[in-house]
Amino acid sequence: QVQLAESGGGLVQPGGSLRLSCAASGSIFSINDMGWYRQAPGKERELVAVITSGGSSNYADSVKGRFTISRDNAKNTVDLQMNSLRPEDTAVYYCNADITAMIYGGISFRMRSTYWGQGTQVTVSS
């Protein structure tokens, strides 16, 4: 079993900062892209930032220059540093990872799937 566990959400005033963290655990063979998505009330889930295993990153236009994604391949973690937060950044933030897992049974094999965390609420309000 593979799980993603997020932490770091909360309430912050406009202009403030938060750091989200996500740790992947379980029978992991390898992790490809890792990223963060968000979903605001009444809106569709959208990509915030993604980072490859080699460290290349991409951001949504709305967060460029304010958010920074980083990962630690040795620890299977991905972080999102969010600065200059705005009320429109309010959403549930989800960690996402493209993981090849080891499946052990009568025959062991690898299986590649997309995994999601449970989500963490970020509220930007005065």
Side-chain angles (χ1 to χ4, degrees):
Q1 298 288 346
V2 172
Q3 291 184 327
L4 299 181
E6 301 142 337
S7 61
L11 172 64
V12 64
Q13 292 186 343
S17 298
L18 279 176
R19 188 176 184 88
L20 305 182
S21 296
C22 174
S25 62
S27 301
I28 296 171
F29 176 78
S30 64
I31 303 179
N32 302 300
D33 292 356
M34 302 185 81
W36 289 92
Y37 287 70
R38 67 185 181 187
Q39 188 167 18
K43 295 187 177 181
E44 294 188 353
R45 191 172 297 189
E46 63 175 359
L47 174 67
V48 176
V50 63
I51 186 167
T52 69
S53 57
S56 297
S57 57
N58 281 295
Y59 297 89
D61 287 343
S62 59
V63 307
K64 282 181 180 177
R66 300 188 298 122
F67 291 10
T68 302
I69 190 170
S70 60
R71 65 187 282 175
D72 186 327
N73 290 333
K75 297 180 179 179
N76 293 335
T77 59
V78 61
D79 292 348
L80 185 69
Q81 177 65 42
M82 304 184 294
N83 298 328
S84 302
L85 283 161
R86 304 167 180 169
E88 54 263 40
D89 294 318
T90 296
V92 178
Y93 284 69
Y94 296 91
C95 177
N96 167 278
D98 178 3
I99 295 174
T100 298
M102 291 301 302
I103 308 299
Y104 297 101
I107 298 176
S108 297
F109 58 95
R110 302 170 192 169
M111 185 168 71
R112 183 173 179 175
S113 300
T114 298
Y115 292 85
W116 293 89
Q118 79 282 1
T120 185
Q121 177 70 45
V122 172
T123 302
V124 184
S125 175
S126 56

